[in-house]
Amino acid sequence: MDFTPHTSADIGEMLSRVGLASIADLFGHLPERVRVVGDLDLPAGISEPELVAAITALAERNDDLVCFAGGGHYDHYLPPTVRSLNMRTEFVTSYTPYQPEVSQGVLQALFEYQSMVCAITGMDVANASVYDGAGAALEAVNVAVAATHRNVIWVSEAVGPQVRQTIATFAHARGIAIVEHPIVAGVTHWNPDAVGPPAAVVVAQPNYLGAIESYGSAVEAAHTRGALAIAVVDPMTLGLLRAPGEAGVDIAIAEGQPLGGPLTFGGPGVGLFAVTEGLVRRLPGRLVGTTTDDNGRLAYVLTLRAREQDIRREKASSNICTNQSLNAIGVAIQLAWLGPDGLTEVGRQSAQKARYMAARLTTIDGVELAHPAAYVREFAITLPVAPAVVIDAMAKEGILAGIDLSADYPELGNGLLIALTEQRTKEEIDAYIALLREVIAHA
Amino acid sequence: MPKPGGSAASSPLVGGSEEPTLKEISIPGRRAWSLTPLDVPEIELDLPEKSEGRVALPEVSEHDLVMHYTRLSHRNFAVDLGAYPLGSCTMKYNPKVCDWAAEHPAFRDLHPATPESSAQGALAVLLEAERFLCEITGMDRATFQPPAGASGELTGLLLMRAYHEDKGEERSKILIPDAAHGTNPASVTLGGYEAVEVPSNDRGMVDVEALRGLVDDQVAGLMLTNPNTLGLFEENIVEIADIVHEAGGLVYYDGANLNAIMGVAKPGSMGFDIVHSNLHKTFATPHGGGGPGAGPVAVHDVLVPFLPGPLPEADEEGVLRWVMPAKSIGRVHGKHGNFGVVLRALTYMKALGGDGLRRVSERAVLNARYLEELIRGPYDLPYDSPCMHEFVASAKTLKKSTGIRAMDIVKALMDEGFHAPTVYFPLIVDEALMMEPTETQSMQTMDALANALLSIADRAATEPDALHAAPVNTPVGRPDEASAARHLRVTWRSDDD
Ligand SMILES: Cc1ncc(COP(=O)(O)O)c(C=O)c1O
């Protein structure tokens, strides 16, 4: 295939205009040593039908599994209405709205995204997105370190392992110490004697094992020590649970994929990032505000730009430039599609299905809830056999059984994390339970 | 005379009148959502931390929603509407077949925790994309976790740190040219290093003698893009890399400008050790109004053990597995990076093949040279050596003689149906206009773009007031940005206060 419009006549004319005899002359000034001799060792180009066949062949190597896995990414219903609006070519093929006069569409869409993120989290200000949930955690930690001039972070062990690993990767370089706080009966026990004082206290709500944490104890652990309280939330539970902003959280973050985004093997998703008013000047990334144009008309613009890398360079609040705007717009469209009642209904159905499933799973010999704490739509169980065995056996039967917890939470033994969405039917849940019973019996 | 189809001189390409917010459209009781009724017996959900009251989201009908976002889309310029010569951003055409690939249900609906055995297609996508990238850049292995260029930079810096620490060394400084993109110094700080600026010489290249004076045993590495941000190929690149290597440092390639050299020159042959690519630039994945992108990082053999992981690898039976590199720096993304973007890029690379990718770079450079030639004269070309895929012009002379600035020029250009070039970057050029036509623009479109630029330069002398007032054909005129920051209104909620 070829996506360039050049005819050989065009090329001839352009070359003569720039005073060159051949295409090779365009590169005549490059040092000999660095030039590619001959062709790249790559397959030749192919036609579009061949390409479609090749991609289809790759796609067929994936199995289509009924999804009971979560861990930040969830299989919610994605309405064609939302997807087709999100994929409007003007949103898809534009870039950062540096020129507001021709970017009002993206700017307003992001302003409304910021507004709706604040509406569901109860926070004052949200930025126009960061990369993903884990990236949001990293940015939040950076904000806290800058705001407090401290370099210790308290993190609950019940914050997702991949989120903690991502924070740890970057913390090392900057000499930030991560102190993890243990899980007791499913929820975080904030150890008052841990090394501190911390810049931030990081809690997940619900936590990675599905348990509902006490906002009060996390916020108190933070605020009594002059630290910021950071909460990683599951956005689909916000129609049921208290908003982090109401609970005194300073920075609320989330992986936004469940809102208007397909799973796509975990990316692109979007990091939701919302703060209290006092932290607005420390926000990472883009922020859209409003003003008027030279004729007094309402206009949306990128604002507080002095925080950003292209202006502040090494003193910027973050290095982020390209973000996840398109996914952020998807979040907004999905939230508008759901409205207040739809968001609550998704949460309610997911939670009801989780309760239904957990109650029946635990009738299987050797299967128990991993902790006694209340949960919403995700819960952890312990199995009498290795989770990997169960996951593999059930995948062969078309079910993604959940996430293996045994490596990240060895203290649970054979832990398995199961997530429900409104999409899972009673029939699918019952089939899961029957299959698990069989797998365990034959293990 | 052939007309450039739609892509130019048919302004306004964006329009529409002011669109109310969803909050203003909202009417209590309306709804768009539709969900299957609960099919399991309902029980009392005894939840701690329960919410009181309803979330303050808008209530709209499905048609309301469709009209709102369709109208918003009409108020936005895009590559699919016209020429978008935004320098450093490579706003090329994004092939639709790549969107099709990313929407394939077998990829679209794939959960990141799917066991390897059920995700062989996805792991194969990553491995095949890696093979393309490594061959293009002259590297050995790559990670797809970094979700954008800046994240790739930070990953590269952490790789440098891991490399030096592994040798028992602690180094504190990273060298970056004064013309570098803002993400470079910002990443340096986040990577726990101090950024040290290397001056450019009067030809727009790294000042090699100054570089020599700056290297010492505290230098962990150098970050560079080549072609550099002036669109010029660093002619002394091999020597530059040697100088840094001799001092024990590593050399990082900021791949923002890779579109100029595919199949022509490999960063690996220039002496680079670490390379990030911006899939949303060179490999035609759409920019999404600001993202998502992907910033995979490819490295030489010596750095492979430090790469973020896990990485896909084939076992003895040819089954693809996730493997953690021996001395991995850890994760830089919660899952496997922006997989959907990687899939689009792979689709693009497969479509073009090695021959097609080389043609991309040849024509990207040809286009930039051609456009540069067309506007020579009224616009200054402060570094007038052969440009690669982009060039930086300047409105310095024009400003002196007419008072018209780069900003006025790009605003007037929008009235003519074009997107603006990048302005005021790189910082070392006064009144900079950084233009990158990309290979997917036609000669006719560039003729039209150049004519628009030339006519604006003429009008700078004859009707400066009109240019100060531009744009006038766009949905809004110049906004008062200072007022936006002074009277901060960043959500619709503040309207209630
Ligand atoms: C030269 C250069 N370096 C780095 C970047 C950062 O890339 P990204 O926006 O993908 O983070 C950009 C892009 O904006 C760039 O132009």
Side-chain angles (χ1 to χ4, degrees):
Chain A
M1 295 183 80
D2 193 345
F3 307 107
T4 60
H6 303 65
T7 64
S8 44
D10 292 340
I11 292 173
E13 202 177 324
M14 292 166 78
L15 281 173
S16 89
R17 177 76 200 222
V18 300
L20 295 176
S22 73
I23 289 282
D25 291 347
L26 290 168
F27 303 101
H29 61 301
L30 268 56
E32 201 71 48
R33 257 188 75 177
V34 306
R35 287 202 230 166
V36 173
V37 183
D39 297 328
L40 291 175
D41 182 18
L42 290 174
I46 53 179
S47 71
E48 184 159 321
E50 287 171 306
L51 182 63
V52 167
I55 297 298
T56 305
L58 283 167
E60 282 166 358
R61 294 177 63 189
N62 291 337
D63 298 332
D64 180 14
L65 305 181
V66 178
C67 184
F68 286 87
H73 290 71
Y74 301 90
D75 180 32
H76 287 284
Y77 179 63
L78 178 51
T81 312
V82 171
R83 191 68 181 159
S84 71
L85 291 174
N86 196 188
M87 292 295 127
R88 294 277 313 174
T89 204
E90 297 87 345
F91 298 142
V92 173
T93 73
S94 54
Y95 201 16
T96 308
Y98 295 119
Q99 300 293 340
E101 297 88 344
V102 291
S103 309
Q104 287 298 297
V106 164
L107 285 163
Q108 184 173 340
L110 292 174
F111 175 85
E112 299 197 50
Y113 159 82
Q114 293 169 186
S115 302
M116 285 191 267
V117 169
C118 290
I120 60 173
T121 58
M123 305 300 293
D124 300 322
V125 187
N127 75 6
S129 79
V130 292
Y131 302 133
D132 72 333
L138 169 69
E139 296 280 9
V141 163
N142 284 339
V143 168
V145 167
T148 60
H149 305 287
R150 296 177 183 171
N151 63 355
V152 176
I153 303 290
W154 285 10
V155 182
S156 159
E157 274 179 10
V159 168
Q162 291 158 334
V163 173
R164 282 181 287 137
Q165 287 157 17
T166 305
I167 298 174
T169 302
F170 295 97
H172 167 72
R174 301 189 59 206
I176 297 169
I178 308 288
V179 178
E180 295 198 344
H181 291 250
I183 304 168
V184 177
V187 297
T188 313
H189 170 68
W190 299 104
N191 171 11
D193 304 323
V195 176
V201 169
V202 189
V203 68
Q205 182 72 302
N207 70 27
Y208 193 72
L209 302 178
I212 302 174
E213 295 269 5
S214 155
Y215 268 132
S217 48
V219 169
E220 189 197 303
H223 289 175
T224 54
R225 292 171 178 83
L228 300 186
I230 299 173
V232 187
V233 301
D234 172 353
M236 306 317 279
T237 64
L238 292 174
L240 299 181
L241 297 186
R242 195 145 73 112
E246 279 154 32
V249 166
D250 302 287
I251 307 179
I253 55 179
E255 169 55 60
Q257 174 277 328
L259 282 166
L263 289 162
T264 326
F265 209 35
V270 47
L272 274 51
F273 197 99
V275 300
T276 52
E277 202 155 11
L279 291 170
V280 63
R281 283 185 160 72
R282 297 195 185 275
L283 268 183
R286 316 282 184 208
L287 181 67
V288 178
T290 61
T291 184
T292 50
D293 76 354
D294 45 9
N295 279 310
R297 289 174 293 196
L298 170 70
Y300 295 87
V301 291
L302 294 175
T303 194
L304 297 188
R305 295 267 292 124
R307 301 162 293 114
E308 290 192 59
Q309 44 76 27
D310 50 335
I311 300 185
R312 284 296 292 284
R313 298 179 75 83
E314 71 275 7
K315 297 195 178 64
S317 59
S318 163
N319 65 340
I320 193 167
C321 176
T322 297
N323 46 57
Q324 308 281 127
S325 294
L326 189 67
N327 303 77
I329 292 172
V331 167
I333 303 173
Q334 177 79 11
L335 281 172
W337 185 82
L338 286 168
D341 297 335
L343 184 65
T344 304
E345 178 65 9
V346 169
R348 181 184 78 98
Q349 287 207 16
S350 305
Q352 288 290 345
K353 290 181 181 199
R355 298 298 172 92
Y356 172 85
M357 185 167 180
R360 282 149 190 84
L361 275 176
T362 45
T363 64
I364 302 174
D365 262 355
V367 176
E368 282 170 37
L369 284 175
H371 59 73
Y375 54 90
V376 187
R377 53 95 137 255
E378 194 158 19
F379 58 94
I381 56 172
T382 54
L383 297 165
V385 294
V389 171
V390 168
I391 288 170
D392 275 346
M394 294 192 43
K396 291 199 177 75
E397 303 300 322
I399 291 178
L400 177 52
I403 295 177
D404 184 348
L405 294 171
S406 57
D408 293 311
Y409 297 94
E411 66 278 14
L412 295 180
N414 295 320
L416 181 71
L417 185 65
I418 298 173
L420 276 296
T421 70
E422 80 292 351
Q423 294 230 87
R424 293 290 71 81
T425 62
K426 176 173 179 297
E427 203 176 312
E428 288 167 341
I429 297 168
D430 292 343
Y432 181 116
I433 293 161
L435 188 59
L436 180 62
R437 204 181 287 280
E438 226 175 280
V439 169
I440 289 172
H442 291 95
Chain B
M1 170 73 190
K3 286 229 167 92
S7 63
S10 57
S11 61
L13 291 171
V14 286
S17 50
E18 186 177 317
E19 173 65 9
T21 62
L22 284 165
K23 181 180 178 175
E24 290 166 317
I25 296 168
S26 172
I27 302 232
R30 286 214 176 125
R31 70 183 236 192
W33 65 275
S34 161
L35 294 170
T36 312
L38 188 66
D39 62 352
V40 298
E42 184 155 13
I43 58 163
E44 176 74 26
L45 283 180
D46 190 14
L47 300 175
E49 302 286 350
K50 209 161 131 57
S51 75
E52 317 284 339
R54 284 166 99 217
V55 179
L57 287 170
E59 296 175 71
V60 295
S61 71
E62 181 171 317
H63 192 199
D64 289 336
L65 190 68
V66 170
M67 287 189 292
H68 180 68
Y69 283 99
T70 306
R71 287 171 181 164
L72 287 186
S73 71
H74 285 174
R75 289 166 71 75
N76 218 81
F77 197 86
V79 169
D80 283 0
L81 279 171
Y84 210 131
L86 190 69
S88 206
C89 300
T90 317
M91 301 301 290
K92 61 172 72 177
Y93 168 65
N94 313 128
K96 300 300 169 192
V97 67
C98 304
D99 296 343
W100 165 84
E103 290 288 318
H104 194 298
F107 294 117
R108 207 189 87 150
D109 301 336
L110 192 66
H111 192 279
T114 305
E116 295 148 335
S117 54
S118 292
Q120 290 290 295
L123 271 73
V125 164
L126 294 173
L127 267 181
E128 199 175 342
E130 182 179 349
R131 172 162 176 240
F132 270 93
L133 278 189
C134 285
E135 172 61 12
I136 293 165
T137 57
M139 294 287 132
D140 295 304
R141 286 227 63 180
T143 169
F144 285 99
Q145 279 187 24
S151 171
E153 293 166 16
L154 187 45
T155 302
L157 291 159
L158 297 180
L159 288 168
M160 289 191 192
R161 177 178 292 281
Y163 167 85
H164 292 301
E165 283 179 355
D166 192 57
K167 294 202 307 181
E169 285 181 22
E170 220 174 287
R171 293 177 174 235
S172 60
K173 295 189 284 197
I174 298 287
L175 303 175
I176 50 172
D178 52 6
H181 192 259
T183 52
N184 292 186
S187 298
V188 168
T189 303
L190 285 176
Y193 286 112
E194 180 199 345
V196 178
E197 245 181 39
V198 186
S200 303
N201 63 24
D202 56 5
R203 304 191 46 236
M205 311 274 178
V206 168
D207 184 330
V208 175
E209 284 324 303
L211 174 68
R212 261 186 230 289
L214 289 170
V215 291
D216 58 26
D217 64 2
Q218 280 308 300
V219 170
L222 166 76
M223 296 177 87
L224 204 66
T225 176
N226 191 19
N228 63 26
T229 56
L230 296 165
L232 307 177
F233 194 91
E234 291 282 352
E235 50 198 23
N236 299 314
I237 185 60
V238 175
E239 191 182 350
I240 291 168
D242 284 347
I243 292 171
V244 177
H245 284 151
E246 273 158 29
L250 295 171
V251 189
Y252 181 90
Y253 183 79
D254 172 342
N257 295 332
L258 190 63
N259 207 43
I261 57 164
M262 286 189 290
V264 172
K266 294 184 186 183
S269 315
M270 302 174 200
F272 287 96
D273 305 291
I274 310 171
V275 175
H276 94 246
S277 310
N278 296 68
L279 301 189
H280 46 298
K281 298 180 181 179
T282 315
F283 300 103
T285 73
H287 287 73
V297 169
V299 297
H300 267 321
D301 267 340
V302 282
L303 292 167
V304 171
F306 304 105
L307 277 177
L311 295 172
E313 266 171 38
D315 69 13
E316 314 84 61
E317 275 114 58
V319 179
L320 306 179
R321 305 261 176 223
W322 289 117
V323 178
M324 203 67 185
K327 302 173 183 172
S328 176
I329 58 169
R331 294 193 150 269
V332 299
H333 185 268
K335 306 294 167 188
H336 314 300
N338 281 342
F339 176 83
V341 177
V342 180
L343 174 56
R344 277 189 170 84
L346 175 65
T347 307
Y348 176 78
M349 293 189 283
K350 284 172 83 72
L352 291 176
D355 51 330
L357 291 167
R358 180 183 173 108
R359 217 159 40 236
V360 161
S361 289
E362 290 170 349
R363 293 177 181 184
V365 174
L366 178 63
N367 276 6
R369 287 279 174 87
Y370 180 72
L371 182 62
E372 182 182 41
E373 201 51 42
L374 295 182
I375 66 157
R376 180 186 294 278
Y379 293 93
D380 306 316
L381 296 169
Y383 298 102
D384 198 5
S385 28
C387 74
M388 297 292 282
H389 68 304
E390 66 186 358
F391 63 93
V392 180
S394 161
K396 194 170 165 187
T397 306
L398 210 56
K399 183 180 155 199
K400 210 175 283 166
S401 59
T402 66
I404 292 299
R405 307 186 58 210
M407 190 58 86
D408 301 314
I409 292 162
V410 305
K411 299 294 184 196
L413 198 56
M414 290 191 277
D415 268 341
E416 308 292 325
F418 297 96
H419 196 275
T422 295
V423 274
Y424 302 113
F425 175 74
L427 306 179
I428 60 170
V429 175
D430 286 340
E431 298 300 320
L433 292 158
M434 183 190 219
M435 307 209 198
E436 181 180 13
T438 84
E439 73 283 1
T440 60
Q441 292 304 335
S442 68
M443 182 175 78
Q444 291 74 22
T445 297
M446 282 184 295
D447 289 342
L449 173 58
N451 284 340
L453 283 163
L454 295 176
S455 116
I456 291 165
D458 282 343
R459 289 167 62 211
T462 57
E463 39 175 340
D465 291 345
L467 294 189
H468 287 303
V472 294
N473 290 335
T474 48
V476 297
R478 291 192 206 191
D480 182 347
E481 299 191 10
S483 157
R486 224 173 316 115
H487 309 285
L488 203 60
R489 176 175 173 263
V490 291
T491 68
W492 60 45
R493 198 175 71 168
S494 35
D495 305 357
D496 304 332
D497 300 346

